[in-house]
Amino acid sequence: MVSLDYIKRFYQFNCDLLAMEAPVVCFKKKDMYFDINGNRCKEFHILPSAMATSVIEKNSIYVNLDNIDDEILFFILAHEIRHCYQYQAVIDEDIYEPYSPQWKKEIKSYRNSSSLNYENQEIEIDANAYACFIYLFLGKNIPNVNCD
């Protein structure tokens, strides 16, 4: 596994890039639950159809490291950070985002990863595009995100 310090630097880079309030990030590895700083966090559960999830109203991200290899971890983290940013852009009128009205509609009727074609929602397309951009910036191969 990549060091927690490296993950934290990647996380901070993304939050700085988006000029956003940094979300709380918790990880699960085997039976251990810990945050981005290595401190213990509350136990959480993620849908079997997901490797990670964000609770945007709480500005929180949860990642199950048992189901993720190092190659995709940073894609997933960038993707979930973008979801937290989308929500911040929707609720904070000082953040200008041309897609905020569409994001607001989709957040109200969000279909999660257990729904067929959920990845075709604009908020998912945007989060995947952001994560792809970050992956290209890092010089990594972009994973398949099943977007039609």
Side-chain angles (χ1 to χ4, degrees):
M1 184 177 127
V2 177
S3 77
L4 193 55
D5 183 58
Y6 188 74
I7 295 169
K8 186 176 179 177
R9 285 187 283 140
F10 176 81
Y11 153 86
Q12 194 59 57
F13 166 77
N14 279 274
C15 294
D16 290 348
L17 181 66
L18 294 167
M20 65 180 286
E21 180 185 334
V24 171
V25 180
C26 289
F27 300 99
K28 175 189 180 290
K29 182 73 174 169
K30 297 183 181 168
D31 291 329
M32 296 174 31
Y33 295 84
F34 53 94
D35 67 16
I36 196 84
N37 296 309
N39 301 317
R40 188 181 188 111
C41 68
K42 290 173 95 174
E43 188 173 320
F44 59 86
H45 301 282
I46 296 175
L47 290 171
S49 58
M51 293 179 267
T53 193
S54 47
V55 180
I56 55 177
E57 300 86 355
K58 294 184 177 183
N59 200 31
S60 300
I61 297 170
Y62 302 95
V63 183
N64 184 349
L65 294 173
D66 295 332
N67 299 334
I68 299 173
D69 62 29
D70 290 349
E71 280 302 305
I72 193 134
L73 171 61
F74 296 102
F75 185 91
I76 289 168
L77 196 52
H79 176 99
E80 297 302 335
I81 289 169
R82 184 64 176 190
H83 280 319
C84 289
Y85 170 78
Q86 291 167 338
Y87 184 72
Q88 290 177 26
V90 164
I91 64 169
D92 185 345
E93 58 192 41
D94 290 336
I95 300 174
Y96 173 73
E97 273 293 338
Y99 294 107
S100 287
Q102 180 63 29
W103 293 344
K104 186 174 186 174
K105 276 196 258 182
E106 289 189 8
I107 286 169
K108 287 180 181 177
S109 62
Y110 183 73
R111 292 176 290 138
N112 66 32
S113 62
S114 65
S115 301
L116 185 63
N117 297 321
Y118 88 101
E119 63 275 355
N120 292 329
Q121 296 170 99
E122 288 295 326
I123 53 176
E124 289 298 330
I125 292 169
D126 177 77
N128 282 328
Y130 175 78
C132 286
F133 168 76
I134 295 300
Y135 248 51
L136 288 172
F137 177 77
L138 295 174
K140 296 191 174 280
N141 292 326
I142 297 171
N144 181 1
V145 292
N146 301 324
C147 188
D148 293 336

